């Protein structure tokens, strides 16, 4: 969010995405006990994402030392391994973000920590692989991922299930484990909700608080990019904000337990809807899977819609109201 020269990861140089940031503002203003925020590769590399998060948290008045850098690339099928160092497992993927998750889980009672997945599942799969005892203490994983047929379409345009496509194997490994509950906020519902261009422009022009001015200016480029592609949309889509909104308001979502999740990994990570061979589906009944791909399966709680149209309005209003000084900054 607010990277002036746009996304820096991969060949696509469009404006940097911002919906992750609005998930964080929702969590802050709800006074959730946030014990860790980890940035990883995705729309951008992990380091500029870390700096972006640091700036956003600073202007909101959140000053706890819980921000760490996670994975800089996807989980390799043939990982490089090193000799253990200082008692640490010989797993190639461990980084500061994974260590933070381990420490948070080890210092809290089992079943008390929920992990919100706003990006690729690389660090979560690494936590599971390197520190399984810590991983198994999780209460639940809530991720923005999945759709009924694995091929989401928005306003007639094929799009990619980004959080899965950036590292399909990592999601597959997390999916197939049975110790920790997994809730998927699916594309069928996550596509709804907009931060309107008019609100963003008003914030950016300085007609609001310093916090809103910063968020408005940092959101303008991607909102304009998004509106140019999806003509029926006027503003910034709120995809990732659904994860926190669900955590705060589960009664507003239509969800089904014991759905069948299947991560079909037919090639390396690919974020092109035209060429990808990787699909993540969540369906009431198992469906036939291709024979020429690795398929990971598991049981998922799938959320596919709101209980009523007014819930979309409430999401949008909640996001707008959340961009203000963090209420717990002086506590």
């Amino acid at each position: 969010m607010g990277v002036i020269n746009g996304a820096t990861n991969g060949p696509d140089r469009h404006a940097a995405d911002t919906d992750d940031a609005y998930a964080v503002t929702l969590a802050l203003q709800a006074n959730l006990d946030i014990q860790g925020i980890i940035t990883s590769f995705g729309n951008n590399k992990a380091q500029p994402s870390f700096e972006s998060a640091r700036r956003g948290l600073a202007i909101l008045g959140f000053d706890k030392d819980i921000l760490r850098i996670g994975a800089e690339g996807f989980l390799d099928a043939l990982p490089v391994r090193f000799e253990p160092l200082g008692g640490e497992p010989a797993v190639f993927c461990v980084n500061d973000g994974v260590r933070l998750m381990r420490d948070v889980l080890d210092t809290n009672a089992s079943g008390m920590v929920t992990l919100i997945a706003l990006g690729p599942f690389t660090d979560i799969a690494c936590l599971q692989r390197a520190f399984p005892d810590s991983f198994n203490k999780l209460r639940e994983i809530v991720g923005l991922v999945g759709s009924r047929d694995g091929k989401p379409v928005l306003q007639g345009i094929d799009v990619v299930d980004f959080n899965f496509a950036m590292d399909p194997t990592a999601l597959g490994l997390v999916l197939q484990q049975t110790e920790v509950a997994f809730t998927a906020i699916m594309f069928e519902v996550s596509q709804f909700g907009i931060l309107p261009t008019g609100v963003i422009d008003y914030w950016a022009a300085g007609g609001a608080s310093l916090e809103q001015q910063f968020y408005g200016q940092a959101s303008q480029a991607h909102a304009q990019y998004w509106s140019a592609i999806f003509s029926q949309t006027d503003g910034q889509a709120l995809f990732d904000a659904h994860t926190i909104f669900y955590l705060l308001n589960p009664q507003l979502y239509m969800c089904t337990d014991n759905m069948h999740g299947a991560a079909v990994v037919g090639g390396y990570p690919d974020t092109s809807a035209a060429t990808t061979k990787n699909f993540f589906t969540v369906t009431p009944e198992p469906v036939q899977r291709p024979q020429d791909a690795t398929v990971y399966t598991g049981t998922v709680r799938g959320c596919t819609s709101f209980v009523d149209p007014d819930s979309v309005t409430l999401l949008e209003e909640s996001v707008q109201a959340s961009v203000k000084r963090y209420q717990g900054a002086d506590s």
Side-chain angles (χ1 to χ4, degrees), residues 39-52:
T39 65
S40 71
F41 79 109
N43 294 114
N44 282 279
K45 297 177 181 177
Q47 179 63 51
S49 296
F50 174 88
E51 177 60 20
S52 171

Side-chain angles (χ1 to χ4, degrees), residues 234-254:
D234 181 24
Q236 169 65 51
L238 295 176
F239 288 111
D240 282 307
H242 277 270
T243 57
I244 299 297
F245 196 64
Y246 164 81
L247 194 66
L248 299 172
N249 307 281
Q251 76 282 0
L252 298 182
Y253 286 82
M254 295 287 290

Side-chain angles (χ1 to χ4, degrees), residues 7 13 33 72 76 85 98 116 125 138 176 186 195 218 240 271 277-278 318:
R13 291 293 188 263
D33 183 9
E72 279 287 18
D76 196 339
L85 179 64
V98 173
I116 305 296
L138 278 166
Q176 70 178 7
M186 295 165 57
L195 181 61
D240 282 307
T271 58
K277 298 179 181 179
N278 307 313
S318 298

